[in-house]
């Protein structure tokens, strides 16, 4: 057998890109590639990119610049760009960086094997089509190798919401859900390979409406409940949800489906109705607060998380105060917050009312300070409590294992005989900046 060719993939952006990178590596595995952890030894480098903010997109070009010397030393080295920058910029990437051999969008990477062959024969390859066909069905069956205890599984892609700031509806296309049976098949397969926790992914995962085995439309709650019947699957999570798609049965599932973990990422973006309207979010501050209340009724100890944008065009100090006030009221377990970044082609890009950069930066600092106080308080509150932990890998100290709690906190325990995949009850003994220490009970 010939030596495998070496593939280096670097992944930016959201969890869906992490999942896509796995599938791309598998697709190229069929072409004789094995993954390596450094670009220096690679025969092919693939950047799986994110277009969400300007900085994310620009990183791609600076990274490509760094590969120039590698290409000079090894003219056979192939360089590809995948993901959302590939979708948004297409051929432009090859014009700006002629050493790029291959550009493939997130909806066409099932064609990677053919594209790789084309590149190997000395031609460039570009595909940013958004075909109707289900790319996951066109990809070869996933390999059977053993894997770690946690996995992502994409069940829904794309977005029809068109928030005024966001590129996702353009880079990922319209909302599409995978049929229930295909999701179940992939989930069972993952569990057979050792997976104990699955995180269902979608740009709007709770807008999932897949065709059920009965030919009817199944929502996410029904999918979750059916997945929960797989014995050796111990935990289910999903992300990212949109407030408008949080249907009653999904809220109920948080109360009565034991395998569904008490953690929910439910971005609101702003606490000001005026800004929410300009963002085209189609929910209000009050409707969001009412939703949070219902979710907490169903699952009182749920850890809530969210995303915020500060400095959206025309955001006043009062609008920002409204955001701070909403955060105070919700009390989040953890959050992501960003300074607004103008994205070409989105509705907000052509509007006036830009907030000066230093004002937006000051708001971001203030918001992040509040969010981090809440995060610390939530972690402190775990001290003395008993939680479940799914152990994933050895920690930094001898005899230590680390895993995630039900509430998605990183937890480390020092104990004999623990191995990856063990799901154990622990008592939290102390809270650090980013993780909890615990002992087995
Ligand atoms: N589908 C998800 C996540 C979309 S992207 C959702 O609807 O919540 C992840 C986060 O990036 C968004 O929630 C938003 O907070 C942030 N984001 C998106 N576009 C942005 C932009 N132009 N500038 C700054 N942050 C942005
Ligand atoms: Fe972007 Fe809004 Fe769609 Fe989320 S819901 S992906 S923020 S357009
Ligand atoms: Fe980024 Fe695309 Fe995900 S823009 S956040 S990689 S959907």
């Amino acid at each position: 057998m010939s030596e495998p060719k070496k593939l280096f993939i670097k992944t930016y952006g959201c969890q869906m890109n992490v999942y896509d990178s796995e599938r791309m590596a598998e697709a190229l595995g069929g072409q004789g590639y094995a993954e390596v952890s450094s670009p220096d030894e690679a025969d092919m480098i693939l950047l799986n990119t994110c277009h969400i903010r300007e900085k994310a997109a620009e990183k791609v070009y600076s990274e490509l610049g760094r590969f120039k010397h590698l290409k000079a030393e090894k003219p056979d080295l192939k360089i590809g760009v995948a993901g959302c920058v590939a979708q948004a910029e297409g051929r432009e990437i090859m014009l700006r960086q002629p050493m790029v051999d291959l550009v493939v969008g997130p909806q066409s990477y099932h064609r990677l094997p053919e594209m790789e062959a084309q590149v190997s024969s000395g031609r460039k390859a570009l595909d940013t089509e958004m075909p109707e066909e289900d790319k996951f069905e066109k990809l070869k069956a996933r390999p059977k190798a053993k894997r770690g205890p946690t996995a992502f599984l994409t069940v829904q892609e794309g977005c029809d919401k068109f928030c005024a700031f966001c590129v996702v509806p353009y880079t990922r296309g319209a909302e599409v859900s995978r049929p229930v049976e295909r999701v179940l098949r992939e989930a069972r397969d993952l569990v057979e390979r050792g997976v104990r926790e699955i995180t269902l992914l979608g740009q709007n995962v709770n807008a999932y409406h897949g065709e059920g085995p009965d030919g009817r439309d199944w929502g996410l709650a029904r999918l979750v409940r059916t997945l929960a019947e797989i014995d050796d699957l111990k935990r289910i999570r999903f992300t990212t949800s949109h407030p408008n798609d949080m249907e009653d049965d999904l809220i109920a599932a948080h109360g009565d489906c034991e395998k569904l973990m008490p953690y929910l990422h439910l971005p609101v973006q702003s606490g000001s109705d005026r800004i929410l309207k300009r963002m085209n979010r189609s929910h209000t501050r009050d409707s969001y607060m009412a939703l949070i209340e219902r979710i907490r009724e169903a699952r009182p100890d749920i850890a809530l998380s969210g995303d915020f944008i500060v400095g959206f065009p025309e955001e006043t100090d009062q609008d920002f105060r409204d955001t701070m006030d909403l955060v105070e009221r919700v009390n989040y377990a953890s959050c992501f917050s960003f300074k607004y970044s103008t994205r070409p082609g989105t509705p907000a890009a052509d509007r006036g009312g830009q907030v000066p950069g230093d004002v937006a930066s000051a708001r971001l600092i203030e918001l992040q300070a509040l969010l981090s106080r809440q995060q610390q308080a939530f972690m402190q509150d775990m001290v003395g409590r008993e939680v479940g932990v799914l152990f994933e890998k050895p920690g930094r100290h001898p005899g230590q294992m680390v895993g995630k709690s039900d509430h998605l906190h990183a937890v480390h325990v020092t104990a004999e005989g623990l191995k990856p995949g063990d799901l154990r009850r622990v008592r939290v003994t102390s809270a650090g900046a980013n993780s909890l220490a615990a002992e087995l009970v």
Side-chain angles (χ1 to χ4, degrees), residues 177-192:
S177 298
R178 296 176 69 190
V180 172
E181 276 177 311
R182 292 180 190 169
V183 173
L184 292 177
R185 198 202 314 139
E186 190 167 333
R188 284 193 205 102
D189 217 55
L190 287 168
V191 171
E192 271 169 30

Side-chain angles (χ1 to χ4, degrees), residues 52-53 165 203 240 267 269 307 309 338-341 343:
I52 202 82
R53 285 168 289 275
F165 49 80
Q203 264 90 35
T240 296
Q269 314 296 354
D307 294 338
I309 295 177
F338 313 97
K339 204 154 80 161
Y340 170 69
S341 167
R343 306 309 290 129

Side-chain angles (χ1 to χ4, degrees), residues 14 50-54 156 158-159 161 163-169 202-205 239-243 265-270 279 281 306-310 312 336-344 346 348:
C14 60
C50 174
H51 201 242
I52 202 82
R53 285 168 289 275
E54 191 180 353
Q156 183 279 339
C159 181
K161 303 280 191 295
C163 298
F165 49 80
C166 183
V167 295
V168 171
Q203 264 90 35
N204 278 304
V205 72
T239 198
T240 296
S241 302
H242 191 284
H265 184 64
L266 196 63
V268 61
Q269 314 296 354
S270 166
M279 285 178 163
R281 281 293 290 184
D307 294 338
F308 289 90
I309 295 177
V310 298
F312 187 75
F336 301 92
S337 48
F338 313 97
K339 204 154 80 161
Y340 170 69
S341 167
T342 307
R343 306 309 290 129
T346 59

Side-chain angles (χ1 to χ4, degrees), residues 348-420:
D350 305 324
R351 295 185 195 157
Q354 294 292 322
V355 173
D358 55 338
V359 173
S361 298
R363 287 178 188 163
L364 188 64
I365 288 171
E366 197 180 337
L367 175 62
Q368 289 186 338
L370 173 59
L371 291 170
S372 112
R373 281 200 298 280
Q374 292 189 343
Q375 181 176 330
Q376 281 306 306
F378 192 86
M379 288 173 77
Q380 275 302 329
D381 196 49
M382 301 305 294
V383 177
R385 279 169 59 180
E386 234 185 68
V387 287
V389 172
L390 177 63
F391 288 96
E392 294 175 25
K393 53 180 190 243
R396 264 183 293 156
H397 302 288
Q400 197 182 58
M401 282 290 290
V402 293
K404 294 273 165 52
S405 75
D406 302 340
H407 298 90
L408 209 59
H409 287 127
V411 179
H412 51 92
V413 170
T414 303
E416 300 247 325
L418 276 178
K419 26 178 222 317

